[in-house]
Amino acid sequence: MKIGILAVQGDFEAHAAMLQRLGAETAEVRTPAQLEGCDGLILPGGESTTQLQFLQEEGLADAIEKFAKQGGAIFGTCAGAILLATEVKNPKQDSLKLLDMTVLRNAYGRQIASDVVSGPTKLKSEPLEMVFIRGPIIERSGPGVKVLAEYAGKPALVQRDQIMAATFHPELTDDTTVHEHFLGLAAAGVSQAAGSAKS
Amino acid sequence: MDAKKADGRSNGTKGSNEWRVKVGLAEMLKGGVIMDVTNAEQAKIAEKAGACAVMALERVPSDIRKEGGVARMASIKVIREIMATVTIPVMAKVRIGHFAEAEVLEALEVDFIDESEVLTPADEENHIWKHDYRVPFVCGARNLGEALRRIAEGAAMIRTKGEAGSGNVVEAVRHMRAIVSQMKKLTTMRDDELMHEAKELGAPLELIRQIAKTGKLPVPNFSAGGIATPADAALVRRLGAEAVFVGSGIFKSSDPETRAKAVVKAATHFEDAKAVLEAHEELGEAMRGLDVRQMEEKDMLSTRGW
């Protein structure tokens, strides 16, 4: 299974290291052509303003929307979650609008408020360790969006169908739970595509 | 939030956590361009061009070089205005060893502090003990020994010193090549050779042993000092820099907005010559550079600190 990682700016290498530990093949995605042949796509942390500019000006936004429409699994962390949201505030910002939620940027404050915390998750019985770095807050999640983990009463990991978003950075921990879950979504998409090809 | 009282100096239980969030922010800046700005208007231009962070300072290095005098931490009013104007991280510089300036910037809540040779050093022997702060630090280095000394003091990001304000990339190239080749050498050495190498480099053995295993710095490794064109950015990225600082190169050129955007594009697509070509197409005149070989030792900024 091959997972593309958007590599225009941000912590794409940390995601690659995590996925390689789990035995997945990874590919850095900087152009629409590099997305072809990927079974899943990660939108990493970084600066959403910088990333958005590359997406909008180099045809990547259209390619990612098409990828999502075809059932490709997508996982956005922090800046990536901001890009996926249908609505971005603080300040208002354009986005890919692939996941029905409202996100507040830099909602905990500046870097000095960044921290490592833990919160309850549906993915395992123990609490999930979460690294927040100038993180956003999911202020509202739409109907049909599942909350898979929470921190301080707010959704921190959400999923609808094959699209998933985290306001924290599972790629900066040693815990592979969240990435394993994402690889499961990508694999389900692959087997579904294979099924529909047969029928 | 009073960070120090909360856990910064309590030998605290959160030590490792702090380190991870400090290096974590540096990770988030990878692949991007950090631009020097002297006011809110320039910061806005930088953000709009796709900078992943801005560095607030009073004068860009080429002006510091020209005007002389003592270069200090920027005015708080200017830094505040910049922080209020952009949503990307705001960094600011302190003089080498000036921990009181660093405490002021931490109280101001800037996102990153650069203990920088571009400002006039406050201490000719000691750098700041950076583990004491919750705000992450970046420091310059000319070689691996210097990089590891700074990391041992708590720097969460290393950048080449290059020769700031020169518009000449030669020193940044020299420093990046030195760091990368010294790391490569460590990976080929036997365990019993590493102590001698630690002594030669003047660096802690523990870090030397770690690099002998991984072949890379334990913190992100960026490049700065003399980068003036998109091709300069691509060059240092190809040599191993994980992101790029541009100082005087943008706002001392004839076309800051276009150039800022072009450098951002080249820093991302550094392996794609066609994209770097496109980045160059629209450009006007770059800043006028200095021949580093004609410079006197006393005028070199990169020899400050050790």
Side-chain angles (χ1 to χ4, degrees):
Chain A
M1 191 157 48
K2 186 164 103 177
I3 305 295
I5 306 169
L6 183 72
V8 295
Q9 194 276 318
D11 73 332
F12 45 91
E13 281 171 12
H15 277 286
M18 177 66 98
L19 290 170
Q20 282 157 17
R21 259 177 72 189
L22 293 170
E25 188 191 341
T26 62
E28 292 185 355
V29 174
R30 293 188 177 86
T31 63
Q34 289 167 333
L35 189 52
E36 281 165 30
C38 291
D39 304 305
L41 174 68
I42 287 190
L43 307 178
E47 283 309 312
S48 61
T49 50
T50 307
Q51 295 175 352
L52 185 65
Q53 179 167 318
F54 278 98
L55 295 191
Q56 291 182 329
E57 293 181 9
E58 301 189 358
L60 278 161
D62 293 341
I64 293 170
E65 275 164 36
K66 197 172 139 206
F67 182 78
K69 252 186 214 143
Q70 291 169 344
I74 304 181
F75 177 29
T77 60
C78 198
I82 295 169
L83 293 178
L84 287 174
T86 42
E87 188 185 13
V88 180
K89 293 193 200 166
N90 189 36
K92 196 168 156 14
Q93 183 171 298
D94 209 355
S95 58
L96 296 169
K97 301 184 170 53
L98 293 172
L99 192 55
D100 184 13
M101 58 180 180
T102 302
V103 167
L104 287 179
R105 287 185 62 207
N106 297 332
Y108 296 96
R110 307 196 71 93
Q111 169 63 11
I112 206 153
S114 295
D115 208 350
V116 181
V117 298
S118 59
T121 178
K122 290 189 177 137
L123 300 180
K124 59 174 191 171
S125 50
E126 308 88 61
L128 188 65
E129 187 182 43
M130 302 174 186
V131 179
F132 281 94
I133 295 175
R134 288 171 43 95
I137 282 180
I138 298 174
E139 191 189 52
R140 175 198 67 86
S141 58
V145 176
K146 281 188 282 186
V147 177
L148 298 180
E150 284 184 348
Y151 169 62
K154 298 277 185 196
L157 178 65
V158 295
Q159 179 199 336
R160 181 167 186 189
D161 301 328
Q162 84 288 12
I163 313 268
M164 189 164 99
T167 55
F168 58 97
H169 294 281
E171 74 279 12
L172 297 183
T173 68
D174 289 325
D175 188 341
T176 55
T177 307
V178 178
H179 284 78
E180 280 175 58
H181 183 72
F182 177 64
L183 288 179
L185 295 182
V190 172
S191 61
Q192 232 171 38
S196 61
K198 269 177 222 154
S199 61
Chain B
M1 187 198 307
D2 190 333
K4 270 177 221 119
K5 277 186 197 137
D7 51 59
R9 284 182 186 151
S10 60
N11 299 324
T13 50
K14 288 183 130 185
S16 67
N17 293 357
E18 280 184 41
W19 180 244
R20 265 194 296 172
V21 297
K22 289 200 264 189
V23 177
L25 180 56
E27 289 283 335
M28 297 310 145
L29 301 175
K30 279 187 178 175
V33 180
I34 300 146
M35 297 182 195
D36 277 4
V37 297
T38 56
N39 57 48
E41 189 193 342
Q42 289 182 352
K44 197 74 210 165
I45 292 172
E47 182 177 55
K48 235 181 122 195
C52 65
V54 290
M55 175 77 71
L57 69 178
E58 213 146 48
R59 296 176 282 169
V60 293
S62 69
D63 285 339
I64 292 174
R65 201 178 271 292
K66 225 184 297 163
E67 293 160 16
V70 175
R72 311 180 179 93
M73 169 180 80
S75 100
I76 297 305
K77 184 169 167 274
V78 170
I79 303 175
R80 266 196 206 285
E81 281 169 9
I82 292 169
M83 287 167 65
T85 303
V86 294
T87 60
I88 53 179
V90 175
M91 304 184 171
K93 289 183 192 288
V94 299
R95 287 176 265 179
I96 289 174
H98 206 317
F99 54 81
E101 278 187 350
E103 287 174 10
V104 169
L105 289 187
E106 183 176 56
L108 181 62
E109 301 195 357
V110 300
D111 297 296
F112 232 104
I113 296 175
D114 184 0
E115 185 183 19
S116 177
E117 70 284 358
V118 168
L119 306 186
T120 313
D123 190 322
E124 295 190 331
E125 282 180 359
N126 308 294
H127 285 69
I128 297 169
W129 186 252
K130 294 164 274 287
H131 288 294
D132 279 350
Y133 299 76
R134 254 194 104 152
V135 171
F137 278 72
V138 51
C139 287
R142 283 165 296 175
N143 52 53
L144 183 59
E146 199 173 359
L148 296 183
R149 289 191 290 277
R150 298 295 85 78
I151 292 168
E153 292 159 357
M157 178 201 295
I158 292 296
R159 56 169 175 77
T160 59
K161 283 182 170 173
E163 189 54 36
S166 70
N168 188 340
V169 78
V170 64
E171 294 300 305
V173 167
R174 192 192 317 280
H175 302 160
M176 187 52 73
R177 282 203 187 268
I179 291 170
V180 171
S181 71
Q182 285 168 327
M183 290 196 292
K184 219 178 278 170
K185 182 179 167 202
L186 287 182
T187 63
T188 66
M189 296 181 105
R190 290 160 43 104
D191 283 345
D192 57 7
E193 294 170 320
L194 294 176
M195 182 61 93
H196 180 255
E197 199 61 16
K199 178 182 147 218
E200 290 294 305
L201 291 173
L205 178 65
E206 266 324 296
L207 289 173
I208 294 280
R209 285 169 57 93
Q210 200 178 329
I211 290 167
K213 264 194 220 120
T214 63
K216 54 185 294 193
L217 292 182
V219 304
N221 183 16
F222 291 10
S223 189
I227 294 153
T229 71
D232 286 351
L235 175 67
V236 291
R237 289 278 276 130
R238 290 280 285 277
L239 292 174
E242 295 171 307
V244 178
F245 284 82
V246 186
S248 324
I250 305 258
F251 289 102
K252 283 288 152 186
S253 72
S254 64
D255 51 354
E257 285 159 48
T258 326
R259 185 164 297 264
K261 211 162 169 179
V263 174
V264 169
K265 184 174 173 134
T268 289
H269 297 294
F270 65 103
E271 287 173 315
D272 178 353
K274 271 198 185 141
V276 180
L277 165 67
E278 275 170 32
H280 269 269
E281 296 275 12
E282 304 289 316
L283 290 184
E285 219 174 304
M287 71 178 280
R288 208 173 160 87
L290 296 171
D291 183 352
V292 177
R293 290 202 298 186
Q294 307 295 324
M295 282 165 67
E296 288 187 50
E297 175 79 16
K298 68 173 175 49
D299 295 323
M300 301 278 287
L301 300 178
S302 59
T303 53
R304 295 166 165 184
W306 54 280

